[in-house]
């Protein structure tokens, strides 16, 4: 499949700091009509295409690894190191060690500096826009939990960095975003979950795909699409080799849960026994992701895409198209009152 290239965004000097924009279900439906929603969907599919036929551990030639990828992995290594500096507190609670709040406070304090080190001088202006995405990618420091909503924020963080061309939308770099950067991110958040006993956020229980994540199954099933012998039922033959994100995620479920797989992970069991090819698995998971993650208000708790995508603001008594301060507004109604969409393509 040949997919279009993810567009490049140039931001105006008076860009707004991102904040929460999705409050009710109708706001979710509004977001689905935006360019930002289309950008994120295209980003996920481009990365999915890039990893077909490529496995873990992925060791690309040194000359093909960009400075951007190297510096992002270094950032993840740095925040992972804080886990050793901030040990869990003694507690009898099953979930939620309070030391995670200390780890989160350190992240929120250090995040501006981390982004300053990450970004070249020409992209430093984007730091206020990227901060909420970085700080909310690792879990909730209030609820002491982690789920696919936080994973979504990290993927949006990578998407934003691609939109401003910190990362390049070239197939090799996109492949490294999954098999190097995202794979490292998984190792960090899995360690956070284990050390600080983070509760699953918004889990569907036995009826959900996974208590904590979703994207490893999308990109992992893409890795297997062209495999000559691997078939979906192979996912039941544990322990699995860790050559794909899909297999890594299934192995982790077996580490965390006991009992028959078909009872505690019925969705994954149904996929393994009822879907004949990895291509169909991948397509079905994309549809499921759009419904169960992108279509659920409760999972869109972090700020919706910032001015890199679309600005959603309250406005009183506005019902038509007009201009204000160089921004073209289309005014709509939602369940929580008047709002306006500022179409940033005006600046391109």
């Amino acid at each position: 499949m040949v997919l279009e290239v993810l567009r490049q965004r140039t931001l105006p000097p008076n860009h707004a700091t991102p904040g929460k924009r999705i409050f009710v279900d109708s706001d979710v439906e509004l977001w689905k009509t935006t360019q930002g929603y289309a950008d994120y969907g295209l980003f996920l599919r481009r990365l999915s295409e890039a990893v077909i036929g490529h496995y873990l551990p992925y060791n690309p030639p040194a000359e093909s690894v960009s400075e951007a990828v190297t510096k992002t992995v270094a950032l993840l290594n740095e925040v992972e190191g804080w886990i050793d500096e901030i040990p869990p507190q003694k507690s009898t609670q099953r979930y939620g060690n309070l030391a995670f709040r200390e780890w989160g406070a350190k992240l929120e304090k250090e995040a501006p500096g981390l982004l300053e080190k990450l970004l070249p001088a020409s992209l430093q202006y984007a730091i206020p826009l990227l901060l909420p995405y970085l700080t909310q990618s690792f879990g909730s420091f209030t609820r002491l939990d982690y789920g696919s909503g936080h994973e979504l924020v990290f993927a949006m963080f990578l998407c934003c960095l691609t939109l401003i061309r910190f990362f390049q939308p070239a197939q090799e770099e996109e492949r490294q975003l999954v098999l190097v950067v995202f794979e490292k991110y998984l190792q960090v958040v899995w360690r956070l979950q284990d050390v600080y006993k983070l509760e699953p956020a918004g889990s569907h229980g036995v009826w959900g795909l996974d208590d904590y994540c979703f994207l490893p199954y999308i990109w992992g099933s893409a890795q297997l699409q062209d495999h000559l012998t691997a078939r979906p039922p192979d996912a039941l033959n544990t322990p699995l080799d860790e050559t794909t994100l899909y297999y890594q995620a299934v192995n982790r479920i077996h580490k965390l849960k006991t009992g028959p797989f078909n009872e505690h992970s019925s969705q994954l069991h149904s996929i393994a026994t009822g879907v004949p090819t990895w291509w169909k698995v991948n397509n079905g998971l994309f549809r499921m992701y759009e419904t169960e993650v992108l279509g659920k208000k409760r999972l869109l708790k972090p700020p919706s895409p910032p001015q890199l995508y679309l600005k959603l603001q309250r406005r009183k008594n506005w019902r038509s198209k007009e201009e204000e301060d160089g921004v073209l507004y289309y005014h709509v109604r939602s369940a929580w009152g008047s709002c306006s969409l500022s179409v940033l393509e005006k600046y391109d």
Side-chain angles (χ1 to χ4, degrees):
M1 180 188 300
V2 178
L3 296 169
E4 62 182 295
V5 176
L6 191 70
R7 66 187 178 130
Q8 183 173 0
R9 294 299 294 117
T10 303
L11 301 183
N14 61 335
H15 55 74
T17 301
K20 184 172 175 58
R21 301 291 187 259
I22 296 175
F23 297 91
V24 295
D25 290 339
S26 59
D27 295 332
V28 177
E29 296 307 311
L30 187 61
W31 179 47
K32 290 180 180 180
T33 69
T34 66
Q35 180 63 49
Y37 185 89
D39 285 339
Y40 182 64
L42 175 60
F43 177 73
L44 294 183
R45 289 188 180 276
R46 284 185 61 87
L47 267 57
S48 185
E49 289 288 311
V51 300
I52 293 174
H54 295 272
Y55 305 101
L56 297 169
Y58 186 64
N59 297 305
E63 62 272 14
S64 73
V65 181
S66 69
E67 183 181 10
V69 168
T70 301
K71 292 174 75 172
T72 307
V73 172
L75 183 155
L76 292 170
N77 282 327
E78 184 169 352
V79 300
E80 183 182 22
W82 300 344
I83 301 174
D84 297 323
E85 299 174 14
I86 305 171
Q89 298 178 13
K90 292 183 179 179
S91 173
T92 57
Q93 289 181 261
R94 180 185 178 190
Y95 285 121
N97 193 283
L98 292 176
F100 185 53
R101 288 183 180 158
E102 186 179 346
W103 188 95
K106 184 173 179 64
L107 175 64
E108 291 171 344
K109 178 182 177 181
E110 301 292 338
L114 291 174
L115 289 175
E116 286 176 11
K117 287 192 295 183
L118 180 71
L119 298 172
S122 61
L123 296 178
Q124 295 279 315
Y125 72 89
I127 289 176
L129 301 177
L130 295 167
L131 270 173
Y133 293 87
L134 178 61
T135 57
Q136 296 182 41
S137 289
F138 299 92
S140 169
F141 310 130
T142 302
R143 298 185 305 274
L144 305 177
D145 64 14
Y146 176 92
S148 54
H150 302 103
E151 177 189 72
L152 162 67
V153 180
F154 184 73
M156 282 188 171
F157 176 67
L158 299 181
C159 183
C160 290
L161 288 171
T162 305
L163 284 167
I164 62 175
R165 291 303 187 262
F166 176 69
F167 296 123
Q168 300 302 314
Q171 191 170 68
E172 177 57 37
E173 185 135 305
E174 290 170 332
R175 186 175 301 130
Q176 292 172 26
L177 286 184
V178 177
L179 303 183
V180 178
V181 175
F182 184 76
E183 201 269 342
K184 177 61 186 178
Y185 165 78
L186 271 184
Q187 301 309 316
V188 174
V189 295
W190 284 348
R191 192 172 172 210
L192 287 170
Q193 292 161 28
D194 292 343
V195 172
Y196 300 122
K197 299 180 180 178
L198 302 186
E199 187 172 6
S203 171
H204 286 284
V206 298
W207 304 111
L209 187 72
D210 188 294
D211 285 346
Y212 291 101
C213 63
F214 202 115
L215 290 176
Y217 298 100
I218 289 180
W219 289 329
S221 59
Q223 287 179 270
L224 289 161
Q225 280 186 40
D226 282 355
H227 199 286
L228 295 177
T229 59
R231 296 292 180 268
D234 297 342
L236 300 177
N237 301 326
T238 55
L240 298 162
D241 64 62
E242 302 236 327
T243 55
T244 72
L245 294 171
Y246 195 106
Y247 290 169
Q248 285 188 2
V250 171
N251 279 343
R252 178 159 176 82
I253 287 177
H254 285 285
K255 175 184 175 182
L256 298 177
K257 296 184 176 183
T258 58
F261 189 69
N262 66 303
E263 293 182 5
H264 61 65
S265 300
S266 61
Q267 286 271 18
L268 289 170
H269 185 269
S270 295
I271 290 170
T273 57
V275 185
T277 67
W278 287 113
W279 182 86
K280 288 190 174 182
V281 171
N282 184 253
N283 277 272
L285 288 173
F286 263 114
R287 291 193 298 271
M288 186 177 179
Y289 187 74
E290 290 169 357
T291 301
E292 297 298 328
V293 179
L294 301 183
K296 299 294 185 182
K297 176 173 62 72
R298 60 183 176 77
L299 290 180
L300 298 173
K301 293 172 184 174
S304 62
Q307 269 207 340
L308 289 170
Y309 294 146
L310 190 69
K311 184 170 65 180
L312 183 61
Q313 297 180 318
R314 286 194 178 206
R315 290 288 186 270
K316 292 182 179 179
N317 303 319
W318 289 7
R319 298 292 184 275
S320 61
K321 183 174 78 173
E322 61 184 83
E323 233 179 88
E324 178 185 297
D325 300 327
V327 180
L328 183 62
Y329 287 94
Y330 287 88
H331 307 294
V332 297
R333 291 286 297 177
S334 74
W336 54 285
S338 299
C339 67
S340 65
L341 303 179
S342 63
V343 183
L344 298 175
E345 279 67 18
K346 179 91 174 158
Y347 288 96
D348 289 345

